[in-house]
């Protein structure tokens, strides 16, 4: 499970770096978080279609789409600054070596998207 955590942590980190650079003018449309997560699923036999992993998949995918299209939120009352904060919470969970140990408030917001 450690390799899954490391791989997912890298994708989350790369997403945050990509978003920051994209917003500052480096319009890199080649970053494909869907493909990155697909590769993790294939290499490590991980199912992103259920539970907290589905929530993580959705938030990363919607976040990247919102950044690319200049949206200010990914769903009603879920602004990008809150989304980014929640993605950082996901990263911190992975930093602790937990596949996903999301705070309840984050989990509730992610379930609404």
């Amino acid at each position: 499970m450690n390799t899954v955590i490391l791989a997912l942590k890298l994708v989350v980190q790369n997403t945050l770096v990509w978003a920051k650079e994209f917003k500052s003018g480096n319009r890199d449309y080649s970053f494909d978080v869907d493909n990155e997560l697909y590769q993790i699923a294939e290499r490590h036999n991980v199912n992103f279609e259920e539970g907290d992993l589905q929530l993580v998949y959705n938030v990363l995918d919607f976040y990247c789409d919102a950044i690319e299209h200049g949206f200010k939120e990914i769903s009603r009352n879920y602004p990008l600054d809150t989304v980014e904060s929640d993605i950082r919470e996901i990263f911190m969970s992975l930093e602790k070596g937990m596949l996903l140990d999301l705070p309840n408030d984050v989990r509730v917001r992610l379930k609404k998207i």
Side-chain angles (χ1 to χ4, degrees):
M1 193 57 73
N2 269 346
T3 56
V4 173
I5 292 170
L6 291 174
L8 188 54
K9 186 173 107 176
L10 183 60
V11 169
V12 171
Q13 183 177 31
N14 287 344
T15 300
L16 292 169
V17 169
W18 169 83
K20 181 179 179 182
E21 290 181 8
F22 196 95
K23 289 188 273 185
S24 70
N26 182 12
R27 306 284 184 184
D28 178 9
Y29 290 96
S30 68
F31 179 73
D32 186 354
V33 76
D34 289 323
N35 186 53
E36 298 290 325
L37 295 172
Y38 173 79
Q39 295 300 322
I40 291 173
E42 289 295 305
R43 271 187 248 130
H44 303 285
N45 196 28
V46 175
N47 184 359
F48 282 100
E49 296 179 6
E50 59 186 32
D52 285 351
L53 287 174
Q54 182 181 30
L55 299 177
V56 170
Y57 181 95
N58 287 343
V59 75
L60 292 175
D61 183 38
F62 292 160
Y63 179 69
C64 289
D65 288 346
I67 296 294
E68 283 184 352
H69 297 291
F71 299 153
K72 301 214 182 297
E73 58 187 19
I74 63 172
S75 68
R76 178 177 255 164
N77 298 321
Y78 198 8
L80 287 186
D81 59 337
T82 304
V83 175
E84 186 173 315
S85 176
D86 290 347
I87 292 172
R88 290 186 188 286
E89 287 285 339
I90 292 167
F91 182 80
M92 294 307 294
S93 171
L94 295 166
E95 274 281 292
K96 296 177 196 169
M98 307 295 287
L99 185 52
L100 285 174
D101 184 23
L102 300 176
N104 195 47
D105 60 327
V106 172
R107 186 175 284 112
V108 167
R109 280 192 296 275
L110 296 180
K111 285 182 178 182
K112 290 181 182 180
I113 59 173

